[in-house]
Amino acid sequence: MQTQGPQRPLLPDAARRTAAWCAVLLLVAGVAAVGIWLCVVFQTAVTPVLLAILGTALLGPLYRRLLRMKVQKSLAAGLTVLAVLGFVGGATYIVVLALIETGDQIIASLRQAALDIADHLGAAGTSIDDLAKNAKSLLQKFGGTAASGVLTGLSVVGQVVAMAVLALLLIFFFLRDSDRAAGVLRSLAPESTGDTLEAMGRRAFEAVEGFMRGTTIVALVDAVLITIGLLVLRVPGAVGLGALVFVTAYIPYLGAFLSGAVAVLVALADRGFVIALWVLGVVLAVQVIEGNVLQPAIQSRTVQMHPAVVMLAITAGASVAGILGMLLAVPVTAAAFGVIGELRDRYGTAGTAGAQEAAAPD
């Protein structure tokens, strides 16, 4: 009786490895899709939590400094929240005041720039003029829709205020109870993976903290430099445009493009082509300083992401949650890169070491 040899596998090793990786990728994609869907469905509750995490990451150094000064935890967290209220309120007041004082100039300059572009477009510009002439009839026709839109806007404002208040309360609790976060993570994980889950959480939060701190510093420097350049070139609404630069800097790359384009258009309409070129030079110079000096110096200890990855994250965030998604996309991606880096440091290094030991001669 002949003995049968070992059966040959149905698929070669390369095909089986490819199938295994495809199954893993499909599983990860499915889990991510379900997570995003749940975030969209429960966005009213998820948004304050995400904003509170960003606020906690930004205010963590101040809270820890107060603790080192022997301030009680609850009092330190309360003082930190009051500090963020004062900072955000003061910054909002300055931005709104600057936009109110110079908003008419900016809008008039943008309107004049549009008219100039329409004049240079020739026949295409005629349609722009016709649209402007018919604006009054369009407003009358859709007056009822505008009124209902105002009511919707009021409800949206109320919802935003409620989420902001909830986010502030969550920041207080996140700061005060931050030392318990490691214990919570350990309780959620099996005993063998508690250390890994805690390290992943710490690495993700450190990445978000570094991103928020670095972005705020870079945004402030960019806004100051561009405002000084606009004031020197006597561009109208320089302070308001500088405030716009600071606000949009939290959307990397795209925010700088939008604020810079507005500044160039305002200069083109009010000061002419030559000054507009100078403004473009100022904006580009500030971006070069940011990319080659500020970003490496300030964010060298945080997660570094390729610009293409950042742009893809911003696009995905905009498609999921609009402007809010654009603001949250990069810090969420930074946290994901932090987790991946921690896993690579733990298991990649261990795997490499094991392979080296196996290859070493006895």
Side-chain angles (χ1 to χ4, degrees), residues 36 44 49 52 100-102 105 118 179 181 239 252 281 305 310 321 334 357:
I36 293 174
T44 305
V49 174
I100 289 175
E101 291 180 349
T102 61
Q105 291 177 308
D179 55 339
V239 178
M305 292 180 291
V310 175
E357 290 177 1

Side-chain angles (χ1 to χ4, degrees), residues 259-284:
S259 59
V262 172
V264 171
L265 287 175
V266 170
L268 176 64
D270 193 84
R271 300 281 290 150
F273 182 74
V274 176
I275 299 298
L277 286 179
W278 277 101
V279 172
L280 179 60
V282 169
V283 173
L284 292 178

